[in-house]
Amino acid sequence: MLLTLVLSLACLLAATDDRVAPARPVKLTAAAAAAVVAETEKVRADAEAWLRRGPTSYLATIARQDFGDRATLTVGRFPST
């Protein structure tokens, strides 16, 4: 009960503190902003390429046919002659 009261009072005091303000956006120079944009575009292009062509891409697996027209795959059987 006392802990609840103390926590409630702390929350009330924190909510009424006028010194608390949200963080302001970071200001970048034009060169730094251009570098961030270039890196973001490179990462996005790499991700898109992986999604389209990567063998482990979850989008590429939709069209993949691992077994062809067979419903099962037998592993370890000696081929018949």
Side-chain angles (χ1 to χ4, degrees):
M1 174 77 177
L2 180 60
L3 180 61
T4 305
L5 181 61
V6 170
L7 289 175
S8 299
L9 183 59
C11 289
L12 180 62
L13 290 174
T16 59
D17 188 2
D18 292 329
R19 295 176 294 159
V20 176
R24 304 302 308 159
V26 174
K27 296 188 183 205
L28 298 175
T29 64
V36 169
V37 169
E39 179 65 20
T40 302
E41 289 173 349
K42 180 190 176 304
V43 169
R44 181 178 291 164
D46 291 346
E48 287 177 0
W50 172 77
L51 285 170
R52 293 180 196 279
R53 295 182 289 278
T56 58
S57 165
Y58 46 87
L59 293 180
T61 59
I62 295 171
R64 185 169 52 213
Q65 296 180 5
D66 291 338
F67 304 118
D69 60 349
R70 299 175 302 219
T72 61
L73 176 66
T74 304
V75 178
R77 187 168 60 176
F78 189 75
S80 52
T81 56

